[in-house]
Amino acid sequence: MADSNALEGLTQALRRLPGVGVKSAARMAFHLLQHDKPGALQIARALDHAVQSIGHCALCNTLTESEICSTCANAGRDRSKLCVVETPADQAALERTLAYRGLYFVLMGKLSPLDGIGPHDIGLQKLFERVVPKNAQGEPAGAGSREVQEVILATNFTAEGEATAHVIAQALKSRGVQVTRLARGVPVGSELEYVDLGTIAHALVDRR
Amino acid sequence: MADSNALEGLTQALRRLPGVGVKSAARMAFHLLQHDKPGALQIARALDHAVQSIGHCALCNTLTESEICSTCANAGRDRSKLCVVETPADQAALERTLAYRGLYFVLMGKLSPLDGIGPHDIGLQKLFERVVPKNAQGEPAGAGSREVQEVILATNFTAEGEATAHVIAQALKSRGVQVTRLARGVPVGSELEYVDLGTIAHALVDRR
């Protein structure tokens, strides 16, 4: 593109954004430098600020600037239910339904053996300790003394999401925790003719 | 999304990138903070560096860190030909053909009345002064004393690109400069059946 190491460096850097290839990166760099230098500086400041200030919630693992995120700190939520999601965006989707008043646990990822992402790379251990905390003697707490009574698995209905849900369900059931999964079925507003076979089969099996 | 003003600010900032909506911006922010904090800092540094160091080439108007870009400074190029393009990316596409050894002028935009972009918002005045420089008495130089003998219009073949080419052609012809336009016609390797009618019509009119 143009004659500039700084421009080349910016284009290379922008390619680290997910979903941005070399043409998009060049177009972004060109747009910012030609039409929106204040925007470029705004993005730089926001990145610096976010990297410095954002960490993980001690309870639910989501991204937050505080020790405990506002959802976990909300005394009005039902602390006996814990909904496990892959990302903050998934949590936001569930929140928009206004149908759930419990707490969340955000894995910040999913099991993906092909990409080398195993149980230690996502928040599984933190989840298990959250649900079945150890007592003063280092032994798992009994069912009666536990805060979380039900774990709702809301990972995505993809191969990786299903595998992640399966691993969590196995581990928690062996610790005596009640584990449920979001219902699979026909999406609201859809016509059967256009729904895929796997979904219809699941909707038949899980009919109520 | 997650519980953080810094994250919200980063998502808002990333939306200033062209082609990035609210979902893409949230995904980018999440990816950088969860999986690629070094990448986030690299982008921030590259933005700062580019904004500080990049300006316009005094001759061809492209983005460069120097006073004169490397293409304009190249003594091996034919200085009697000047190819007018909209963006550095267009210039790069022409360079890849290896079919042109003249110089360029990069408008850094196109006329777009609907978006409020007129002749003063792109480099038209700078182009006219480049092609027909004023002499010591402030009068336009005569044809014999001009460096640029031919201006090749290579703006895009879109409505705005054509309008931009038309305005430049009118202005330069009235100053006695030879102006040509890239040939319109059937793309190399294409089958007539699948070429649009306007292109075929132009290819007929411009047959040789």
Side-chain angles (χ1 to χ4, degrees):
Chain A
M1 205 168 127
D3 165 60
S4 162
N5 289 328
L7 194 58
E8 182 60 30
L10 176 57
T11 304
Q12 287 299 327
L14 289 170
R15 290 190 61 186
R16 297 187 77 147
L17 294 169
V20 174
V22 63
K23 284 212 172 184
S24 296
R27 192 162 59 96
M28 287 172 172
F30 172 71
H31 172 83
L32 290 175
L33 292 171
Q34 180 64 19
H35 301 296
D36 195 11
K37 283 193 177 182
L41 295 176
Q42 182 190 343
I43 295 171
R45 293 293 73 69
L47 284 166
D48 280 335
H49 180 57
V51 167
Q52 278 163 27
S53 62
I54 293 180
H56 290 136
C57 171
L59 284 175
C60 79
N61 203 37
T62 196
L63 295 173
T64 177
E65 284 160 272
S66 325
E67 174 79 10
I68 306 286
C69 77
S70 62
T71 310
C72 289
N74 183 345
R77 316 244 357 169
D78 179 355
R79 307 190 88 76
S80 71
K81 290 188 174 57
L82 193 70
C83 181
V84 178
V85 293
E86 293 179 14
T87 67
D90 296 333
Q91 177 182 350
L94 283 160
E95 282 292 282
R96 281 196 295 273
T97 67
L98 303 175
Y100 180 69
R101 293 297 300 161
L103 294 180
Y104 291 90
F105 188 89
V106 187
L107 294 171
M108 305 302 280
K110 53 186 177 265
L111 292 179
S112 182
L114 289 180
D115 301 324
I117 299 175
H120 294 287
D121 300 304
I122 60 175
L124 285 193
Q125 200 54 45
K126 191 168 171 182
L127 169 64
F128 298 152
E129 279 160 21
R130 171 77 197 283
V131 177
V132 187
K134 294 202 167 56
N135 61 19
Q137 290 80 45
E139 293 158 0
S145 64
R146 287 180 204 154
E147 188 181 66
V148 177
Q149 296 299 317
E150 178 185 359
V151 171
I152 302 163
L153 298 176
T155 54
N156 288 325
F157 286 79
T158 57
E160 290 99 341
E162 294 279 20
T164 308
H166 180 76
V167 167
I168 296 172
Q170 293 296 102
L172 289 180
K173 279 176 184 165
S174 74
R175 290 167 166 87
V177 180
Q178 186 194 357
V179 180
T180 57
R181 179 88 168 107
L182 283 194
R184 277 174 294 216
V186 180
V188 174
S190 62
E191 300 177 52
L192 279 188
E193 182 182 353
Y194 301 107
V195 174
D196 69 290
L197 295 181
T199 299
I200 295 181
H202 274 299
L204 270 169
V205 171
D206 296 349
R207 69 186 181 277
R208 34 173 286 179
Chain B
M1 205 169 128
D3 165 60
S4 161
N5 290 329
L7 194 58
E8 183 59 31
L10 177 56
T11 304
Q12 287 299 326
L14 289 171
R15 289 190 62 188
R16 297 188 76 148
L17 293 169
V20 175
V22 64
K23 285 212 170 182
S24 295
R27 193 162 57 94
M28 287 172 173
F30 172 72
H31 171 84
L32 290 175
L33 292 171
Q34 181 64 16
H35 302 294
D36 196 12
K37 284 192 178 183
L41 295 176
Q42 181 189 343
I43 295 171
R45 291 294 72 69
L47 285 165
D48 280 336
H49 179 56
V51 167
Q52 277 162 28
S53 63
I54 292 180
H56 290 135
C57 172
L59 283 175
C60 79
N61 202 38
T62 196
L63 295 173
T64 178
E65 284 160 270
S66 325
E67 173 79 9
I68 306 287
C69 76
S70 62
T71 311
C72 289
N74 183 346
R77 314 234 15 157
D78 178 355
R79 307 190 89 75
S80 69
K81 291 188 174 57
L82 193 71
C83 181
V84 178
V85 293
E86 292 179 15
T87 67
D90 297 333
Q91 177 184 351
L94 284 160
E95 282 292 284
R96 281 195 295 275
T97 67
L98 303 176
Y100 180 69
R101 292 298 299 161
L103 294 179
Y104 291 91
F105 189 89
V106 187
L107 294 171
M108 304 303 281
K110 54 186 176 259
L111 292 179
S112 182
L114 290 180
D115 301 324
I117 298 175
H120 294 287
D121 300 304
I122 60 175
L124 285 194
Q125 200 54 45
K126 191 168 170 181
L127 169 63
F128 298 153
E129 278 160 22
R130 171 77 197 284
V131 177
V132 186
K134 294 202 168 57
N135 61 20
Q137 290 78 44
E139 293 157 1
S145 63
R146 286 178 205 153
E147 188 181 64
V148 178
Q149 297 298 320
E150 179 184 358
V151 171
I152 302 162
L153 298 176
T155 54
N156 288 325
F157 287 80
T158 57
E160 291 99 340
E162 294 278 20
T164 308
H166 181 74
V167 167
I168 296 172
Q170 292 297 103
L172 288 180
K173 279 177 184 165
S174 73
R175 290 168 167 86
V177 180
Q178 186 193 355
V179 180
T180 57
R181 179 90 168 107
L182 284 193
R184 279 174 293 214
V186 180
V188 174
S190 61
E191 299 176 52
L192 279 188
E193 183 181 352
Y194 300 108
V195 174
D196 69 290
L197 295 183
T199 299
I200 295 181
H202 275 300
L204 269 171
V205 171
D206 296 347
R207 68 187 180 277
R208 36 173 284 178

